Amino acid sequence: MHVLRFVTGKYEGKDFPLDEARSFIAGRSTEADLVLADDAVSRKHARFYPSRGRIWVRDLGSRNGTVINGTVVEHYCLRAGDRIAIGSSLAKFATLEQGQVAKERAGERTGHGSDVSGRSMTGSIEEIPLMDVLQWLATSRKTGTLLVKEPDGGRVGSLYLRDGKVFYAAISNSKSLFPEKALMRMLAWTRGSFELESTTIDDVESEISMSLEHMLMEAARIEDELKNLARRATLPTSPDLVAIVSPGPVQWRELEDPELDLLQAYVEHGGWQALLDASRSDDLKLTRVLVGLHKKGVVRY
């Protein structure tokens, strides 16, 4: 049996079964089958219905659209694992085992008149990538602070939002990071959790000027290019492993200007991670230069 599994909000951890014999309306109206009491949701927002042995969703001309895997859709055939956003409500399309189906039919279906906006938004990056979360927050025009936490007591990132727009970003223990780069770093995290708090900050030294759409595209490009680079060359598994080889195999005067600049920055900042944090160049550009130095034997990792 197919279900919408909510991963944030009041319905977190609960499933809404999608019957293969009838359609369901999701919307803000109390007459909807799935009531999402959210100002960003239209009265009749989307319809889920069976056809040709599959479950489909059709947007009903909603004001803010129906988002599947980060893309606004009008008509879409759902597949297992698809991430669905209606307003600020986040869910995954999943399939239940027979035992779970019986449990749902015993009365755990999400009922009429329930409100998914009563709790702060929390979730897992493994369940919902941060790119999708930010797009949904932009759609619902949220103001607040999105805390992004790596597992096992790792780094904590803070994304500050105003009417859905990220205007500042910071990561703990990386105070020299420019806000744009801090956001790019967090978008690359694949494990951890997120939680939206209602509080935010008023004054920052430098607000992010780049649009969210551009930053999401740039982050995706950098991630793809780094993966391609990793298939062609060896990348450092940890910033702490990067070191300059001494004595070196070549004279530094024989190196290219970008390579010399990187070596100087490495020495001035005292390490690879500090260099990455302090530089305005993106991590991809710097890593490409580092790989070239590694191939020449100038650095090791």
Side-chain angles (χ1 to χ4, degrees), residues 132-152:
D132 292 350
V133 176
L134 291 179
Q135 287 178 319
W136 297 330
L137 291 173
T139 299
S140 54
R141 300 181 180 88
K142 293 290 186 180
T143 294
T145 302
L146 186 70
L147 295 179
V148 187
K149 302 177 182 179
E150 287 190 312
D152 304 322

Side-chain angles (χ1 to χ4, degrees), residues 20-280:
E20 296 184 357
R22 55 160 293 194
S23 64
F24 294 92
I25 299 296
R28 195 177 72 249
S29 170
T30 55
E31 297 179 356
D33 300 291
L34 174 59
V35 179
L36 304 174
D38 182 344
D39 290 340
V41 177
S42 298
R43 290 182 58 80
K44 291 185 178 181
H45 197 105
R47 180 168 71 97
F48 296 86
Y49 66 96
S51 178
R52 303 191 296 276
R54 306 291 294 273
I55 300 295
W56 298 69
V57 60
R58 181 181 294 278
D59 185 81
L60 299 177
S62 64
R63 181 183 61 187
N64 291 314
T66 300
V67 181
I68 308 292
N69 301 327
T71 302
V72 178
V73 301
E74 295 183 0
H75 189 215
Y76 184 87
C77 179
L78 291 168
R79 298 169 179 80
D82 281 341
R83 303 179 299 274
I84 303 161
I86 298 178
S88 59
S89 300
L90 313 180
K92 287 185 70 176
F93 182 67
T95 301
L96 291 179
E97 301 295 336
Q98 289 185 351
Q100 293 174 294
V101 172
K103 187 177 181 181
E104 290 291 337
R105 288 175 174 171
E108 289 199 355
R109 166 175 287 179
T110 304
H112 287 274
S114 298
D115 182 356
V116 299
S117 60
R119 288 170 50 186
S120 63
M121 177 186 292
T122 61
S124 163
I125 295 176
E126 291 92 335
E127 292 274 348
I128 305 292
L130 195 56
M131 287 188 181
D132 292 350
V133 176
L134 291 179
Q135 287 178 319
W136 297 330
L137 291 173
T139 299
S140 54
R141 300 181 180 88
K142 293 290 186 180
T143 294
T145 302
L146 186 70
L147 295 179
V148 187
K149 302 177 182 179
E150 287 190 312
D152 304 322
R155 294 170 296 178
V156 178
S158 300
L159 297 172
Y160 301 95
L161 300 111
R162 184 189 301 125
D163 295 326
K165 181 183 184 299
V166 179
F167 67 90
Y168 192 74
I171 298 177
S172 62
N173 302 324
S174 299
K175 302 301 183 183
S176 60
L177 268 177
F178 295 101
E180 290 85 357
K181 181 171 281 193
L183 175 53
M184 293 288 191
R185 291 273 181 83
M186 281 182 269
L187 288 172
W189 293 359
T190 58
R191 297 178 61 237
S193 62
F194 60 85
E195 178 179 2
L196 180 65
E197 295 185 344
S198 59
T199 57
T200 187
I201 56 177
D202 296 323
D203 298 319
V204 295
E205 293 182 2
S206 176
E207 292 195 4
I208 294 174
S209 58
M210 192 182 302
S211 69
L212 177 61
E213 291 75 13
H214 183 79
M215 293 204 73
L216 293 177
M217 292 176 61
E218 186 67 7
R221 181 190 69 82
I222 291 175
E223 182 180 4
D224 289 342
E225 290 293 334
L226 282 172
K227 289 180 180 178
N228 290 333
L229 183 61
R231 286 192 283 267
R232 304 191 307 269
T234 302
L235 302 186
T237 56
S238 170
D240 297 334
L241 298 178
V242 179
I244 297 176
V245 175
S246 180
V250 298
Q251 296 294 316
W252 283 19
R253 63 173 176 267
E254 299 175 11
L255 300 176
E256 302 291 335
D257 287 346
E259 296 172 333
L260 287 172
D261 290 342
L262 187 142
L263 290 173
Q264 180 177 343
Y266 178 96
V267 173
E268 291 177 347
H269 293 292
W272 177 240
Q273 186 63 63
L275 183 160
L276 287 173
D277 290 350
S279 175
R280 284 192 174 272

